[in-house]
Structure formats: C-alpha cells, structure tokens
C-alpha cells in the first residue's frame, strides 16, 4: 500500500518553468506543499506559487544560484523541514569535448552533481524519512558528444544516485528519472522534437506529465531505491548516439 503524499513538503530545484513547473503542479495536486526553488525566473516562480496555492497547499519560493556553493549550502536551512527533494535544476550547454572549458565543466558539475550532493546531505541531517529524485537524462546510457560537460556531470549524478541510495538508507530512498525527448531546449520549437522522434522505438516525444507521473510513482513506492526510470520511449534500449 502506498503512503499518502498529502501534507508532505517537497523542495523542487529549478521549479519555475518547463519540467520543474509540471512536477511542482503534479505534486501539489497530490496535496504536497511545494518549496519552489528558482534562479532567474522570479515572475514565473511567483505565478507558479499562485497556481499551487489555488490547489489548497502551501507554496514558498526561494531564489538561489546553485552554481555558487555558499548559496546551495544555505538552501535547505531556508526551506525548513522537507520530506521530498527533487534535484531538477539544470543547464544544457552545447559544446563538444574539444570546446568545453574548465569553467563550463565546473559549472555543470556544480549544478548537476555538487548541488544534489550538498542538498541530499543537508536533507539527511534533518533526520526525517523521505524521498530524493534526481533528474538524469536518457543519454547517460549512450554518448552525447554535443553537450560534453552536461553529459559528464549527468553521469556523475547517475553514480551519485546509487551511492546516496546506499548511504542514506534506510531512512531516505534515492531514485532517478531519466527523461528522453520531452521538451525542446530553450530557443527551439516543436520542430526540434518532431525531427528527433525517429531516435526512439515509440517514434514520438513525451510530455512533462509523463515525467511527473514517473516521479509520483517513485514517491508512492516504499521498497524501491537506487532505481532509474527511463521516460524516453525506449531510447535507452536502442542506444542511439545522435551521430
Ligand atoms: N527537457 C527535456 O526534454 C529533458 C530531457 C532530458 C533530461 N532532462 C532533465 O530534466 C530536468 C528538467 O529539464 P528542463 O528542460 O525543464 O530543465 P531546464 O529548463 O534546462 O532547467 C531547469 C531550471 O534550472 C534552473 N537553473 C539553471 N541554472 C541554474 C543555477 N545556476 N542555479 C539554480 N538553478 C538553475 C533554471 O531556473 P530559472 O529559470 O529560475 O533560472 C531552469 O529553469 C533537467 O535536469 C534536465 O537535464 C530534460
């Protein structure tokens, strides 16, 4: 039997827009109070908090730059006690291994790996049972040569998911969701998705709701930890490399 999520509190990083917004609303519909973390999207975060409150749960918004370790360190204290941590914030920078710089590698590592680690440890220190879900990318199973620093750091997050699942057990379960073709990157439109539907066996793209549903499944489970759910139309089986 699944535990009810009603009355729990979730901190969702990068929550104001896109997948973060869909995840926030999906949790709020289940009665979860949401701490909406954002970096630059203040107006969107404010609007989202209004939508969440109309679902009769509480919404708090917190700004922080997760590429700045001091701001990351302070985020959990500012959020207060939580039951759920969703590490969703991300940057998706186009650069091959030949183009990537130490600065971009450091930034990607900070946002995709160091921040989830620091937040997970701070969560564990609150000494409450709970759930962590990390957002990976189905391309951790293949090779994304166009986004080298992103790819490296998401692979670190994959390893970190398993390490945290061991280290934080039995109190906190740690899982991941690895989306595939869901939303076009900023600046691209629906045509980007249509062009790439051939890369997965289901020959279509998913929706933010598909990702949110997988997260809810994990949050409602009691005996799953260290697991990765690929929400990718089967891309990870096929192992397409985009070459
Ligand atoms: N979209 C997809 O189809 C897809 C596919 C595979 C994997 N994923 C993964 O799923 C997650 C959500 O995807 P998405 O496309 O919705 O993500 P996104 O739009 O690329 O980023 C989500 C949020 O991260 C925040 N962020 C960026 N830099 C930050 C920083 N320095 N400090 C704090 N927050 C920062 C931004 O917040 P502000 O807007 O407030 O600045 C942004 O809105 C990501 O982890 C992504 O890797 C997505």
């Amino acid at each position: 039997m699944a535990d009810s999520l009603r009355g729990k509190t979730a901190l969702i990083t990068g929550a104001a827009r896109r997948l973060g917004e869909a995840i926030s609303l999906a949790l709020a519909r289940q009665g979860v109070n949401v701490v909406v973390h954002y970096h630059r999207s203040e107006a969107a975060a404010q609007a989202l908090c209004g939508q969440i409150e109309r679902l009769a749960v509480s919404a708090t918004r917190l700004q922080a730059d997760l590429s700045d370790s001091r701001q990351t360190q302070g985020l959990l204290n500012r959020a207060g006690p939580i039951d759920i941590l969703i590490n969703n914030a991300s940057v998706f920078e186009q650069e091959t291994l030949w183009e990537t710089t130490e600065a971009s590698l450091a930034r990607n590592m900070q946002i995709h790996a160091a921040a989830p680690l620091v937040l997970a440890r701070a969560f564990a220190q609150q000494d409450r049972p709970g759930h962590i879900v990390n957002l990976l990318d189905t391309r951790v199973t293949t090779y994304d040569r166009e986004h080298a620093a992103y790819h490296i750091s998401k692979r670190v997050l994959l390893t970190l998911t398993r390490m945290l699942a061991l280290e934080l057990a039995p109190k906190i379960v740690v899982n991941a969701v690895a989306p595939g073709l869901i939303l076009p990157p900023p600046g691209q439109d629906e045509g980007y998705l249509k062009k790439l539907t051939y890369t997965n066996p289901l020959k279509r793209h998913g929706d933010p709701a598909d990702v949110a549903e997988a997260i809810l499944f994990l949050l409602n489970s009691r005996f799953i930890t260290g697991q990765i759910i690929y929400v990718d139309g089967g891309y990870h089986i096929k192992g397409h490399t985009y070459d």
Side-chain angles (χ1 to χ4, degrees), residues 89-150:
S90 183
V91 282
F92 191 55
E93 296 168 350
Q94 189 158 3
E95 51 184 11
T96 67
L97 199 67
W98 303 100
E99 292 158 349
T100 196
T101 61
E102 285 176 54
S104 75
L105 185 58
R107 185 170 52 252
N108 277 267
M109 288 293 287
Q110 197 70 43
I111 294 168
H112 300 138
L117 170 61
V118 166
L119 294 175
R121 280 200 307 230
F123 184 11
Q125 278 156 7
Q126 290 189 344
D127 207 21
R128 294 156 62 89
H131 283 256
I132 297 177
V133 181
N134 294 326
L135 271 290
L136 303 178
D137 187 307
T138 187
R139 280 176 277 184
V140 293
T141 58
T142 58
Y143 178 44
D144 184 358
R145 73 178 301 276
E146 300 287 326
H147 305 92
Y150 172 85

Side-chain angles (χ1 to χ4, degrees), residues 14 16-20 37-41 64-67 88-91 111 135-137 150 154 179-183:
R17 301 184 301 116
R18 293 167 57 83
L19 291 190
H37 158 266
Y38 67 99
H39 178 218
R40 294 210 169 95
S41 299
D65 179 354
L66 298 182
S67 69
N88 170 75
S90 183
V91 282
I111 294 168
L135 271 290
L136 303 178
D137 187 307
Y150 172 85
K154 286 286 184 178
L181 200 57
I182 306 285
L183 286 178

Side-chain angles (χ1 to χ4, degrees), residues 117 120-121 124-125 132 159-174 225-226:
L117 170 61
R121 280 200 307 230
Q125 278 156 7
I132 297 177
T159 301
L160 188 61
T161 300
R162 293 178 173 147
M163 291 171 73
L164 286 169
L166 292 173
E167 293 288 336
L168 271 45
K171 212 159 220 173
I172 296 179
V173 304
V174 186
T225 196

